[in-house]
Amino acid sequence: MDSDALSRLTPWLADHIAGFQGPVAVEKFASGQSNPTFRLTTPGADYVLRRKPPGQLLKSAHAVDREFRVQKALADTDVPVARVLALCDDDSILGAMFYVMEHVPGRVILDPSLPGATPDQRGAHMAEMNRILAAIHEVDLAACGLSDYGPPGDYYVRQLARWTKQYRASETGALPEMDRLILWLESNLPEEDGQRCLVHGDYRIDNLLFAREAPEIRAVLDWELSTLGHPFADLAGVIMQWQLPPGEEGRGLAGLDRAALGLPDDAAFLASYFDRRGIDPPDSFGFYLAFAFFRMAAILQGVKKRALDGSASNPEKGRRLGAFVPRFAELGLEAADAR
């Protein structure tokens, strides 16, 4: 953020945030490929600002206004979120829509294997992750004012159409694996079962802010993809992430001895979730997992396209992440075959 932008931002903050006092020091977070995110440090308090990225954007993408709305609605629920303070739709301030929220102290865990933790500590973190996911799906939509937060109709029909369109709009070359995965998903859509709830859209351990010294989630982050839909989309997203290579790059658990580490296997995590919510598991989880891989491939393709166009928050990382698109498509096909 340059000095001219900061000179416009500072008076806006003073006008819209109670108790705000400058001066402001701005630091860009390294994470956040979709919406650039900044820490604002002032003498009295720290804040976090998330804005839309620059450049030509895909329709309905980077919806920071939806992030603002859902976090405001969840403020008094069992779902921990940062308190949002102000939304700006005046592009003359920073060149794009943005919002400001409180800075919540805590730690972001990038590696789900939790290096350095004990088996008991790992299990406790995963249990907390499971608990908060169930809490998101149990939110009373009417009481929170979120009954209209997503369109009606079959969630997977809608999402498959949306992400196929997004993927086609950001294609940078032919990818037969992705074409085959899309065709399989279109031919194997599950029957509508009546489940409709708030879904986060990108629920994984690195989008959770934990307390510094305890396995307690202080805030669920990055609500850009949230909507009303089917809870198994979030659940499959967790399982999808764990199929990836371990470490801070892949952020998965593939090949690790989870039992020795104190981490639940896929079946145990799923069973715990179904038990918490008092619902029956589906006959097969294959479609949901295949869809999760497809959607992430489409998201990463968009990241790659923005990196090539020069509008990514971190172009180098964007290109690196974009290289994983074929692998995600292959893993989606594997999940389909294993159904």
Side-chain angles (χ1 to χ4, degrees), residues 156-168 177-186 240 287-301 325 327-333 335:
Y156 283 105
V157 171
R158 188 173 80 239
Q159 286 285 297
L160 183 56
R162 174 193 175 185
W163 287 107
T164 299
K165 183 177 180 180
Q166 298 277 55
Y167 172 73
R168 297 303 184 197
E177 298 92 338
M178 195 67 165
D179 294 335
R180 295 205 325 268
L181 180 56
I182 290 170
L183 286 173
W184 185 89
L185 290 168
E186 290 174 341
M240 174 206 72
F287 173 88
Y288 306 104
L289 188 54
F291 177 82
F293 278 115
F294 154 73
R295 195 185 65 159
M296 185 54 67
I299 290 170
L300 293 180
Q301 183 62 40
V325 173
R327 182 55 182 153
F328 274 82
E330 292 169 359
L331 289 168
L333 291 170

Side-chain angles (χ1 to χ4, degrees), residues 53 108 142 200 218 239 258 289:
V108 173
H200 177 272
R218 299 288 310 281
I239 304 303
R258 292 201 215 173
L289 188 54

Side-chain angles (χ1 to χ4, degrees), residues 66-67 69-70 146-151 198-199 223 226-228:
R66 288 178 62 80
E67 286 191 5
R69 177 186 172 185
V70 70
L146 292 174
S147 297
D148 63 345
Y149 190 61
L198 176 65
V199 293
W223 290 87
S226 61
T227 187
L228 300 188

